[in-house]
């Protein structure tokens, strides 16, 4: 684990796709707009725990006071007069591998916690608060100092998969936002049938983009419909060149059935046309450099403003990545890549998922106790691999 402290002004004035470290380009698995939830906090006297995962930067109203004191856009506990510390537990929008954490103390200057720690756990299904308080927790960020009114960034080096995150503050104080950047690794039992292969909760992630002037392209992969024009991806007005693009690594290799390009809320600034390319990339290939064999799966098509477009596919070849090109520029609210996970790759994904589970993960593999015993025995023989462990061509 390594730490970088960035002032609020520095973080807000830089393009989030270019700010080091690299984990900031990954989805925030804790964010409310993705489906995260703050399921518990031992104290929220001054400011509500739910503010921790609100999308967008923290706001500050200098003259806002309530009957409990100053109103903060964050989570704030009362001043502790006895030993101990405070904590909040967040359920991630999807199980995932955490690559970095941001503990943002924006606007907390005399009331921020001097130290914090972050832990993760993995539980199957929908655990109760009692189960969460008595399960095993894995340290992701050990007890570390933080600065006030700053975005405190911590890189995480752990390839295991977690469902919940616990933020502890020592001894008390306020935190504006908790960002948990990583890649979703959903339960393979949820990857059957036709799914959104590019969805952030299915493991889809943006790996390259030509322009992020107004907003992050990662918002294209959020679940649900956009709520306004700011809840999408919008480029600057292009004065030279012919197009902008975004490249997405799918959550799993699959057969694409159809593409959805949604321009909802983009009325005077929607693209004129769109084209979609696909690629079947071997594991480990440097896709961010775009040195891959792209093939056209949706030809250049006229796009209408404020419209949800369902686009037909040319052929049904497997793909691991898609590249959406817009001509010449503009904004989109959502991109959906609907299809089925390749059967062989689903089996491989399932084994990788099992290998990534922390030791304490309790897997409810069905109502049959015999089946559950088989799963527990399987977990005891990790790491697992396919027979022969033959890589895909």
């Amino acid at each position: 684990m390594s730490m970088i402290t960035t002032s609020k002004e520095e973080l807000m004035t830089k393009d989030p796709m270019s700010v080091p470290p690299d984990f900031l380009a990954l989805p925030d698995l804790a964010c409310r707009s993705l489906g995260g939830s703050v399921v518990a906090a031992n104290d929220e006297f001054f400011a509500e725990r739910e503010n921790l995962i609100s999308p967008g930067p923290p706001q500050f109203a200098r003259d806002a006071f309530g009957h409990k004191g100053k109103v903060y856009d964050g989570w704030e506990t009362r001043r502790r007069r006895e030993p101990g510390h405070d904590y909040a537990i967040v359920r991630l929008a999807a199980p995932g591998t955490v690559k970095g954490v941001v503990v943002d103390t924006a606007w907390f200057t005399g009331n921020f916690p001097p130290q914090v720690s972050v832990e993760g756990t993995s539980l199957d299904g929908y655990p109760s608060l009692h189960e969460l308080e008595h399960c095993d927790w894995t340290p992701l960020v050990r007890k570390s100092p933080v600065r006030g009114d700053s975005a405190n960034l911590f890189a995480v080096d752990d390839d295991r998969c977690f469902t919940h995150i616990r933020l502890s503050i020592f001894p008390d104080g306020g935190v504006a936002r908790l960002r948990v950047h990583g890649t979703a690794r959903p339960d393979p039992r949820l990857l059957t049938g036709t799914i959104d292969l590019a969805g952030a909760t299915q493991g889809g992630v943006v790996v390259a983009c030509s322009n992020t002037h107004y907003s992050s392209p990662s918002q294209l992969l959020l679940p649900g419909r956009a709520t306004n024009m700011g809840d999408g991806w919008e480029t600057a007005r292009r004065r030279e060149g012919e197009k902008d693009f975004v490249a997405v690594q799918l959550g799993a290799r699959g057969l694409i059935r159809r593409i959805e390009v949604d321009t909802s809320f983009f009325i005077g600034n929607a693209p004129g046309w769109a084209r979609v390319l696909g690629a079947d990339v071997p594991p480990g290939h440097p896709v961010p450099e775009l040195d891959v064999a792209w093939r056209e799966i949706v030809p250049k098509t006229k796009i209408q403003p404020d419209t949800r477009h369902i686009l037909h596919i040319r052929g049904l070849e497997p793909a691991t990545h898609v590249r959406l090109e817009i001509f010449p520029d503009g904004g989109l609210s959502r991109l959906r890549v609907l299809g089925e996970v390749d059967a062989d790759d689903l089996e491989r994904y399932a084994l990788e998922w099992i290998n990534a589970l922390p030791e304490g993960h309790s897997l409810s593999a069905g109502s049959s106790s015999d089946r559950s015993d088989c799963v527990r025995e399987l977990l005891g023989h990790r790491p697992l691999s396919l027979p022969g462990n033959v890589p895909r061509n």
Side-chain angles (χ1 to χ4, degrees), residues 38 40-47 49 52 75-90 103 111-119 133 143 165-175 178:
V38 186
N42 71 309
D43 187 283
E44 49 183 330
F45 183 86
F46 284 117
R49 67 196 193 195
L52 277 173
W75 167 55
E76 186 183 5
T77 68
R78 73 192 78 200
R79 300 191 186 208
R80 179 173 285 274
R81 302 307 186 197
E82 65 282 336
H85 67 276
D86 296 322
Y87 68 88
I89 299 176
V90 174
V103 179
N111 49 352
F112 63 93
Q115 295 176 305
V116 303
S117 70
V118 179
E119 301 159 288
E133 290 179 336
K143 191 173 180 180
I165 296 296
R166 181 167 67 186
L167 169 66
S168 296
I169 58 176
F170 302 90
D172 53 42
V175 174
L178 173 66

Side-chain angles (χ1 to χ4, degrees), residues 130-147:
H130 176 79
E131 291 174 296
L132 288 168
E133 290 179 336
H134 293 85
C135 68
D136 295 327
W137 289 88
T138 300
L140 299 178
V141 177
R142 297 192 180 274
K143 191 173 180 180
S144 303
V146 295
R147 290 172 53 190

Side-chain angles (χ1 to χ4, degrees), residues 28 30-34 36-38 48-59 72-75 90 104 175-179:
D28 175 13
C31 190
R32 169 70 67 182
S33 58
L34 191 60
S37 174
V38 186
E48 297 177 346
R49 67 196 193 195
E50 283 79 13
N51 292 328
L52 277 173
I53 60 171
S54 295
Q59 305 300 311
Y72 279 93
D73 182 12
W75 167 55
V90 174
D104 190 349
V175 174
R177 296 288 188 270
L178 173 66
R179 304 302 189 197

Side-chain angles (χ1 to χ4, degrees), residues 29-335:
L29 299 177
C31 190
R32 169 70 67 182
S33 58
L34 191 60
S37 174
V38 186
V39 297
N42 71 309
D43 187 283
E44 49 183 330
F45 183 86
F46 284 117
E48 297 177 346
R49 67 196 193 195
E50 283 79 13
N51 292 328
L52 277 173
I53 60 171
S54 295
Q59 305 300 311
F60 183 77
R62 189 173 302 278
D63 297 327
F65 285 86
H67 71 282
K68 291 184 179 180
K70 183 73 185 74
V71 175
Y72 279 93
D73 182 12
W75 167 55
E76 186 183 5
T77 68
R78 73 192 78 200
R79 300 191 186 208
R80 179 173 285 274
R81 302 307 186 197
E82 65 282 336
H85 67 276
D86 296 322
Y87 68 88
I89 299 176
V90 174
R91 185 189 68 239
L92 300 180
T97 302
V98 179
K99 294 303 180 184
V101 174
V102 181
V103 179
D104 190 349
T105 58
W107 308 111
F108 290 95
T109 56
N111 49 352
F112 63 93
Q115 295 176 305
V116 303
S117 70
V118 179
E119 301 159 288
T121 193
S122 183
L123 294 174
D124 198 51
Y126 308 95
S128 66
L129 178 57
H130 176 79
E131 291 174 296
L132 288 168
E133 290 179 336
H134 293 85
C135 68
D136 295 327
W137 289 88
T138 300
L140 299 178
V141 177
R142 297 192 180 274
K143 191 173 180 180
S144 303
V146 295
R147 290 172 53 190
D149 199 24
S150 301
N152 300 273
L153 283 64
F154 301 91
V156 175
D157 184 16
D158 197 311
D159 291 329
R160 285 171 291 184
C161 187
F162 298 100
T163 60
H164 294 75
I165 296 296
R166 181 167 67 186
L167 169 66
S168 296
I169 58 176
F170 302 90
D172 53 42
V175 174
R177 296 288 188 270
L178 173 66
R179 304 302 189 197
V180 182
H181 294 278
T183 303
R185 302 188 68 169
D187 187 326
R189 293 170 291 183
L190 304 179
L191 297 181
T192 57
T194 300
I195 64 170
D196 180 9
L197 298 167
T201 56
Q202 312 295 349
V205 61
V206 172
V207 293
C209 184
S210 62
N211 188 283
T212 60
H213 183 81
Y214 285 111
S215 50
S216 169
S218 295
Q219 296 190 135
L220 290 173
L221 312 184
L222 293 177
R225 304 294 301 276
T227 56
N228 54 52
M229 196 178 72
D231 186 15
W233 168 53
E234 184 182 2
T235 72
R237 299 195 184 202
R238 180 171 287 278
R239 304 307 187 190
E240 57 184 25
E242 65 168 348
K243 62 178 180 286
D244 283 314
F245 73 88
V246 59
V248 177
Q249 178 178 309
L250 304 180
R253 181 174 183 254
L255 294 174
I256 302 173
R257 297 289 179 181
R258 57 190 180 274
I259 301 285
E260 180 179 318
V261 175
D262 191 349
T263 59
S264 294
F265 300 104
F266 290 92
I267 301 175
N269 50 354
W273 300 263
R275 183 172 78 137
V276 183
L277 310 175
D280 190 16
V281 180
H285 196 281
V287 176
E289 284 74 19
L290 302 179
D291 182 22
V292 299
W294 295 104
R295 65 181 186 278
E296 185 176 82
I297 58 176
V298 175
K300 189 175 180 179
T301 302
K302 181 68 177 175
I303 295 297
Q304 299 298 327
D306 198 26
T307 301
R308 190 179 178 189
H309 306 78
I310 307 298
L311 306 178
H312 298 291
I313 301 300
R314 285 184 172 177
L316 287 174
E317 298 178 32
T320 59
H321 295 73
V322 296
R323 173 183 164 116
L324 171 66
E325 298 177 344
I326 58 174
F327 302 82
D329 54 39
L332 303 172
S333 61
R334 293 291 186 267
L335 169 67

